[in-house]
Amino acid sequence: MDEGLRYIAAAIAVGLGALGTGWAQSRIGSAGAGAIAEKPELQGIMLIFLALPETLVILGFVVAAIILLVR
Amino acid sequence: MLVEMRRVDLVAPRRRALALLRALHRAGVLHLVPFAPPPGTSEAVFGAYPALPGAGPFDARLERVAELSGILGAGSPPTALVAELWELDDAGLAARVERLEPARSRAAALAAERVRLEGELARLDGYRRLVEGLQGVVARLPALRGYGSTAIVVQARYRAVIGVLREELEELTGGRCELIAAELGGERVAAVLLYPQRLADQVRTVLGGRDLEEVSLPAELAGLPFTELEPRLAGEEERVRDRIAAVGSQLVELGLAHGREVGALELVLRDRVAETGALRQTGASEHLVVVCGWVPGARVETLRAALVREVGPETLVVERPPDRAAAADAPVAFENRSVLRPFEPLASFVSLPRYGSLDPTPFLAVTFPVFVGLMVGDIGYGLILLALLAWARRRWPRSSLLSQVLPIALLAAGSTIAFGFLFGELFGEAGAALLGLRPFWFDRREAAISFLGLAIAIGAVQVVLGLVLGMVNAVLLRDRHQLAGRAAMLTGLLALLVLLGWIAGPLPATVGYLAVAGLAVALAVLLVTLGLAGPIELLGAVGNILSYARLMAIGFASVMLAVVANELGGLTGNVLVGAVVAVLLHALNLVLGFFDASIQGLRLHYVEFFTKFVEPGGIRFEPFASALVAGAGQLRPRSTGGR
């Protein structure tokens, strides 16, 4: 039972992080595409903005790894 | 490193203003800035150079040559020809442009004829489609003497208008009319109206108010029996196509005869127009002209000698003393060793570092290939990348993009092979199974915790290094506020790391208490220097370190995908099918691996590392350089002048 709960917890940690990242990137990506169409020189900074939410899923991954691997 | 720049004022007799700009253009080392009076001079004496009346002497000529160049598609002209034309005086250059006038007139006439013929071809094509569409309709029309006909075309979505027209036509003609419609390829509907000839004007009035496309054939085809129209139209199309081809070959001949000269003249005329335009940025007194700008420190003496030689011994190059306020406007140029140079565009992709700060290029050049290697880490993938790069080099030997990417990709491939040996991976675990390959360091599939720890440790080192470099930058830019903020951030971060070590057990209590004290001081300084955002930024730095876990996550995903490729290949039960499945999955992993690893590697630098020390807002060094100086913005390494 405990083992199963650990797996579910790890999946939630990564899954919710991935959902959050995807949702944030979709919003940033569409806004960024519009901004770059107006000002192509913004592409560098938009790449940064687009990459920022990835930290969410990485942190989720770290939590999942700790749940699964640290006993 | 970033090139040291000197702010200079170049002074020459006013009558030699254009000669001065021409010499500067040839030298290609001055980043022009609009005239500002040198310190100690009165604006009553020096003012902006008076505006020239009307357009410059070469503006109209450039327009004509550029038009000809556009028609002929002139490519890159030979350097020797550009140099020869560049040395001509104004009269000589104007004569060369005039000599091209007959060719320009002919090319313009041919281009106009080509446009007309292409329009005619499109029109004939439209008629042919229409005639094909109406073929069936016309066959059903009764042949009546004294009756006229009109063909119309409407968009399919407005087909309802045909019903309205039928009603109006019947009312107008008392029922002595016919209207037959047919679909034209689904998007348009064609209709033929048959009505008494004497009512033609009234019918036109009915049609006129509805913005309908009335189809009328060209005069030479009018009156032909409908059955003869299609072959005649096909014949006309053939004739126009032949003429277009003939015009095209005449233009090619013109291009072969004059293309190189036109291309060279266009470059040289652009330079002359730029020189006249640059006059507007200069300053002038009654007798002198002053050009202001920035020159790389190592090039000042060369420029001085060139100006004395070309403009005259009375030309002065006056260096302004170093000034912190003025340095904020200094342009930024990179000057790195050839191995680092391909990384310069990546280092300045997000923002150019400010003049006087540290150049992030060497740091990126060291750690980016390492990160890619750490994430992909497979001997087989590295060797395939090397083979692909060798093939691409032979396939596109002159591609400038490839030349730029190749050194970076080679380093990434080398790093991937090296980490492949360390992790004992050759196409996943295939190397171990087939060749008995063993990891020199650790097996990524088994030692997940060690791998995660390594990734986070790399993050801690790079973020701490970033903060240290940030302090160095603050010292270089003499910014005490930034220095205090970054020192506090560094202290706070180190204190947090020590605290973690203490809580985890291995560190003694005294060290832990010291860490608590250090953290308290750091938080206080952060509150003073950055306000409430300070402590949040400290937490952000911890997040930055954890973000390096992606090195492990992507590496782990890469090795597991390779394992899956081998396993799936083995499950098929057929050697050939298994090999195809394995190759496809390994190819997918290879592409995904290198692409994702590159993006994530760059992101770690841009977001986690560079934000700790790179001072953004630099102005790119764009020298006033002529066509004679190719790639003037890219300075080559010299023994002096760097910082």
Side-chain angles (χ1 to χ4, degrees):
Chain A
M1 181 66 182
D2 276 358
E3 193 67 7
L5 283 176
R6 279 156 64 97
Y7 285 123
I8 290 171
I12 289 173
V14 175
L16 287 184
L19 279 175
T21 297
W23 179 77
Q25 284 190 325
S26 72
R27 305 291 298 266
I28 296 169
S30 58
I36 292 169
E38 293 273 335
K39 286 187 173 181
E41 66 271 20
L42 290 179
Q43 63 173 342
I45 200 75
M46 288 318 302
L47 188 72
I48 297 265
F49 285 155
L50 194 61
L52 281 177
E54 284 171 8
T55 308
L56 291 178
V57 69
I58 295 295
L59 293 180
F61 169 79
V62 172
V63 170
I66 291 169
I67 292 172
L68 291 177
L69 302 171
V70 179
R71 289 169 191 267
Chain B
M1 62 185 72
L2 302 186
V3 178
E4 183 210 356
M5 294 284 171
R6 304 267 173 82
R7 177 72 167 80
V8 293
D9 296 307
L10 312 166
V11 187
R14 184 165 168 167
R15 65 190 153 75
R16 302 286 289 149
L18 269 175
L20 174 63
L21 285 168
R22 206 157 156 63
L24 289 171
H25 214 182
R26 185 202 300 275
V29 293
L30 179 79
H31 177 97
L32 267 177
V33 294
F35 168 74
T41 56
S42 159
E43 287 195 25
V45 178
F46 276 104
Y49 200 95
L52 297 173
F58 287 102
D59 287 355
R61 290 188 178 99
L62 171 60
E63 209 170 299
R64 293 210 306 270
V65 171
E67 180 201 357
L68 181 57
S69 170
I71 294 171
L72 300 182
S76 303
T79 316
L81 183 58
V82 175
E84 179 200 327
L85 293 174
W86 213 86
E87 298 304 334
L88 292 175
D89 59 12
D90 285 2
L93 191 59
R96 291 294 282 262
V97 176
E98 294 312 317
R99 229 171 63 184
L100 277 176
E101 192 52 26
R104 192 195 67 82
S105 305
R106 187 153 167 250
L110 285 170
E113 188 182 355
R114 187 168 57 182
V115 169
R116 185 182 60 75
L117 287 168
E118 282 168 352
E120 197 176 332
L121 190 64
R123 200 161 50 94
L124 286 170
D125 188 55
Y127 289 143
R128 195 171 48 75
R129 286 165 190 270
L130 187 66
V131 167
E132 279 170 6
L134 290 176
Q135 205 97 50
V137 178
V138 172
R140 284 186 274 153
L141 278 177
L144 296 173
R145 190 181 294 276
Y147 271 66
S149 65
T150 298
I152 58 165
V153 176
V154 293
Q155 296 293 318
R157 61 179 182 278
Y158 301 130
R159 69 176 77 236
V161 81
I162 289 176
V164 177
L165 269 181
R166 187 193 300 277
E167 285 171 16
E168 290 192 10
L169 207 58
E170 282 179 352
E171 192 181 331
L172 181 70
T173 61
R176 291 192 298 279
C177 65
E178 188 61 81
L179 190 152
I180 302 174
E183 296 282 336
L184 282 183
E187 291 179 0
R188 297 189 303 167
V189 177
V192 177
L193 288 63
L194 198 67
Y195 47 84
Q197 186 66 51
R198 61 188 167 79
L199 296 173
D201 288 344
Q202 286 95 315
V203 171
R204 290 245 154 75
T205 310
V206 168
L207 295 175
R210 292 205 160 70
D211 198 20
L212 296 168
E213 185 187 343
E214 188 178 333
V215 181
S216 54
L217 287 169
E220 67 272 20
L221 299 179
L224 276 181
F226 202 81
T227 48
E228 285 180 27
L229 272 179
E230 202 177 351
R232 280 292 297 274
L233 282 169
E236 277 297 299
E237 275 189 62
E238 190 62 32
R239 184 189 65 77
V240 173
R241 279 209 179 88
D242 288 348
R243 184 61 197 145
I244 288 175
V247 168
S249 51
Q250 286 180 58
L251 282 171
V252 169
E253 275 173 33
L254 269 179
L256 288 173
H258 303 287
R260 290 150 62 117
E261 186 176 1
V262 169
L265 264 178
E266 188 184 0
L267 289 178
V268 172
L269 286 171
R270 282 196 192 285
D271 279 356
R272 292 287 163 98
V273 169
E275 283 156 22
T276 316
L279 265 182
R280 295 186 201 105
Q281 295 199 52
T282 65
S285 71
E286 196 177 341
H287 299 290
L288 294 174
V289 65
V290 184
V291 179
C292 305
W294 293 90
V295 182
R299 311 285 169 102
V300 174
E301 288 313 314
T302 324
L303 180 66
R304 195 191 305 271
L307 293 183
V308 167
R309 191 174 59 245
E310 290 183 37
V311 186
E314 64 273 32
T315 312
L316 295 176
V317 177
V318 184
E319 284 183 51
R320 290 197 190 179
D323 174 9
R324 272 185 64 202
D329 298 325
V332 172
F334 293 99
E335 192 171 39
N336 285 305
R337 302 252 162 237
S338 57
V339 69
L340 298 180
R341 217 171 289 144
F343 290 91
E344 287 172 356
L346 286 181
S348 59
F349 178 64
V350 173
S351 62
L352 204 59
R354 260 175 63 191
Y355 178 74
S357 64
L358 287 170
D359 176 8
T361 309
F363 304 101
L364 181 75
V366 170
T367 41
F368 175 71
V370 171
F371 285 2
V372 174
L374 190 62
M375 283 185 265
V376 184
D378 190 293
I379 302 167
Y381 292 165
L383 290 173
I384 289 180
L385 181 61
L386 279 181
L388 286 174
L389 291 172
W391 171 79
R393 188 68 190 162
R394 288 187 62 171
R395 176 74 180 75
W396 297 286
R398 290 179 187 170
S399 163
S400 60
L401 177 67
L402 188 64
S403 307
Q404 196 141 32
V405 171
L406 197 71
I408 302 173
L410 279 176
L411 284 171
S415 164
T416 301
I417 293 171
F419 275 103
F421 274 111
L422 290 176
F423 300 143
E425 287 174 30
L426 190 145
F427 297 115
E429 85 290 18
L434 301 175
L435 305 173
L437 195 66
R438 293 283 170 266
F440 282 98
W441 193 2
F442 61 82
D443 186 337
R444 288 197 292 180
R445 290 167 298 154
E446 315 247 318
I449 286 284
S450 306
F451 196 14
L452 185 61
L454 172 71
I456 291 175
I458 290 172
V461 170
Q462 198 167 42
V463 169
V464 167
L465 175 67
L467 288 168
V468 172
L469 294 174
M471 289 168 64
V472 173
N473 257 345
V475 171
L476 286 174
L477 297 171
R478 294 176 195 173
D479 189 336
R480 287 180 190 169
H481 192 260
Q482 284 274 24
L483 181 62
R486 280 171 181 160
M489 185 79 76
L490 181 61
T491 310
L493 193 59
L494 289 174
L496 274 176
L497 293 175
V498 171
L499 269 177
L500 279 176
W502 178 41
I503 292 166
L507 292 175
T510 323
V511 179
Y513 296 143
L514 278 175
V516 171
L519 183 62
V521 172
L523 285 174
V525 176
L526 282 172
L527 275 171
V528 172
T529 52
L530 300 173
L532 281 176
I536 296 171
E537 279 204 26
L538 181 59
L539 285 179
V542 175
N544 289 153
I545 291 174
L546 289 179
S547 182
Y548 282 74
R550 74 190 63 224
L551 291 173
M552 177 266 182
I554 292 160
F556 194 64
S558 176
V559 65
M560 291 320 286
L561 198 54
V563 170
V564 167
N566 295 335
E567 294 286 332
L568 274 183
L571 285 176
T572 55
N574 178 309
V575 175
L576 193 64
V577 176
V580 170
V581 169
V583 166
L584 284 176
L585 282 175
H586 276 301
L588 175 74
N589 195 19
L590 178 85
V591 173
L592 274 182
F594 280 112
F595 180 73
D596 204 23
S598 305
I599 295 286
Q600 298 299 341
L602 284 176
R603 178 234 138 95
L604 284 175
H605 283 88
Y606 293 152
V607 181
E608 271 78 22
F609 185 42
F610 284 4
T611 49
K612 303 291 173 295
F613 75 101
V614 173
E615 296 289 340
I619 302 162
R620 194 170 293 282
F621 177 63
E622 287 174 349
F624 181 58
S626 68
L628 299 174
V629 192
Q634 306 240 318
L635 297 172
R636 294 289 163 261
R638 294 196 164 217
S639 55
T640 58
R643 175 174 298 178

